[in-house]
Amino acid sequence: MNKPIRKAVLPVAGLGTRFLPATKAVPKEMLTIVDRPIIQYVVDEARAAGIEHIVFVTGRNKQVIEDHFDMAYELEDTLRARNKVAALELLEKHRPQPGSTSFTRQQAPLGLGHAIWCARDIIGNDPFAILLPDMIIKSKVSCLKQMVDLYENVGGNIIAVEEVPEDETHNYGIVEIEEEINETAARISNMVEKPAPGTAPSNLMITGRYILQPEIFDLLGKHNKGAGDEIQLTDSMLALMKDQSFASLKFEGQSYDCGSKLGFLSANIAFGMDDPKLAQQLVPFMEDVIKQPLAAE
Ligand code: G1P
């Protein structure tokens, strides 16, 4: 039997420069999609996949993330005194169990691979998940849960993938498929981080969800630099592929790259439409907005 996936690493040390000045004092992971910070969507996805412990790899100015997943004692006390039961229940629903989170700092921005390596002592010798909080995924079944289901069948390492237009492949990690396992899963034969335009081995991008075996840490510990002169997770996964199997999963769901303004706005609209009351007002509003001339015209 494959060892269960109990822990997940969420790297949240990034500076969020694409969202300045919004992210000057507020971490990008705390920007709001409808009524929840981005990071909450990702934690909820992990918990829906059976993850019991979440390791946040943070950096300076990220303390508010730790506060968000703690009890807000004064606030909850006030809500209790005012008998605001629904609000209290909402806070409780989204709060991880005591002791089920860990926070460690990536001391310098040396790349995603380095951020993951910073979690090695807390993860130990078990397979684990990684969720990149820039990506939030709207799906019927948690994307990570879909990956765990595949992992339980095939073991090894699993990477969520989706198709991207060819002119965008240079922005992502790209995988090459060797053979199909079934309609949605396949064996991976190669992967490359941010291939130069025109050189990508396919149009299948790495979406930011991974299930990896702990041997990845030895490879990350070599601190070899790759694309963008950073320590890349993709490079260590490619090295691990010499010894272990890697499968890709085309998950059911829609991803939103909240590291980009378009992805962030799209996510707000898509998740907003999930609330019937909000949708009722949002639709006529959007119909009205698209009739108005563009600012550039
Ligand atoms: C990271 C990964 C890349 C992946 C992407 C998804 O890149 O290195 O393989 O495709 O996330 O968002 P980053 O966005 O951190 O440059």
Side-chain angles (χ1 to χ4, degrees):
M1 218 189 66
N2 300 310
K3 271 188 167 181
I5 310 299
R6 295 214 166 97
K7 292 181 184 167
V9 179
L10 273 61
V12 292
L15 297 175
T17 44
R18 280 188 285 178
F19 273 91
L20 283 171
T23 48
K24 194 176 161 195
V26 177
K28 62 176 174 173
E29 297 81 9
M30 291 302 292
L31 299 181
T32 310
I33 307 291
V34 188
D35 56 4
R36 281 186 271 164
I38 291 173
I39 190 78
Q40 182 80 60
Y41 286 83
V42 182
V43 166
D44 291 348
E45 179 191 331
R47 293 172 76 200
I51 295 297
E52 295 165 8
H53 194 104
I54 295 187
V55 183
F56 296 87
V57 180
T58 73
R60 279 175 283 282
N61 298 329
K62 300 280 181 166
Q63 293 91 330
V64 67
I65 296 177
E66 199 165 341
D67 292 342
H68 178 75
F69 290 107
D70 193 4
M71 189 172 281
Y73 188 79
E74 292 90 343
L75 171 66
E76 293 182 33
D77 208 36
T78 308
L79 291 175
R80 212 166 288 116
R82 295 184 186 171
N83 205 23
K84 301 270 186 201
V85 180
L88 275 167
E89 280 174 1
L90 191 74
L91 292 182
E92 206 175 304
K93 183 176 136 203
H94 288 295
R95 190 173 50 235
Q97 290 295 309
S100 68
T101 52
S102 298
F103 294 81
T104 185
R105 277 194 184 190
Q106 183 188 25
Q107 295 166 346
L110 299 177
L112 174 61
H114 179 261
I116 302 302
W117 179 76
C118 290
R120 66 198 179 284
D121 286 354
I122 309 175
I123 295 296
N125 202 25
D126 290 320
F128 65 104
I130 301 171
L131 298 95
L132 305 190
D134 270 356
M135 285 285 182
I136 58 175
I137 298 172
K138 191 167 181 293
S139 56
K140 286 196 199 87
V141 176
S142 147
C143 175
L144 186 63
K145 170 79 172 79
Q146 298 175 44
M147 295 170 70
V148 167
D149 290 345
L150 175 63
Y151 168 80
E152 282 171 358
N153 279 324
V154 303
N157 302 269
I158 314 279
I159 301 178
V161 298
E162 67 188 299
E163 287 173 12
V164 276
E166 259 160 47
D167 59 353
E168 285 178 30
T169 50
H170 65 281
N171 292 322
Y172 299 103
I174 302 292
V175 305
E176 194 174 349
I177 294 307
E178 188 173 42
E179 56 171 342
E180 288 185 357
I181 299 173
N182 59 36
E183 268 182 19
T184 51
R187 297 265 169 228
I188 298 174
S189 58
N190 187 19
M191 60 182 93
V192 41
E193 182 66 20
K194 306 208 171 70
T199 67
S202 80
N203 65 343
L204 285 179
M205 70 167 266
I206 299 173
T207 306
R209 300 289 183 274
Y210 313 76
I211 290 175
L212 295 179
Q213 298 295 323
E215 288 76 20
I216 194 77
F217 289 120
D218 297 335
L219 297 157
L220 291 170
K222 293 184 177 170
H223 300 270
N224 293 331
K225 288 188 176 171
D229 207 28
E230 292 189 345
I231 301 167
Q232 295 290 355
L233 178 60
T234 306
D235 296 342
S236 288
M237 293 196 297
L238 183 63
L240 187 57
M241 241 172 58
K242 291 197 183 97
D243 302 320
Q244 296 187 5
S245 74
F246 275 75
S248 62
L249 176 71
K250 282 188 187 169
F251 55 94
E252 173 280 314
Q254 175 68 47
S255 70
Y256 297 92
D257 183 354
C258 293
S260 83
K261 285 175 195 168
L262 181 64
F264 177 75
L265 281 175
S266 307
N268 260 298
I269 295 168
F271 282 95
M273 291 292 291
D274 272 354
D275 176 337
K277 264 198 201 151
L278 213 50
Q280 224 177 25
Q281 292 167 307
L282 200 53
V283 171
F285 168 75
M286 286 190 294
E287 282 170 350
D288 200 39
V289 163
I290 56 174
K291 280 187 214 138
Q292 292 172 23
L294 294 175
E297 281 180 349

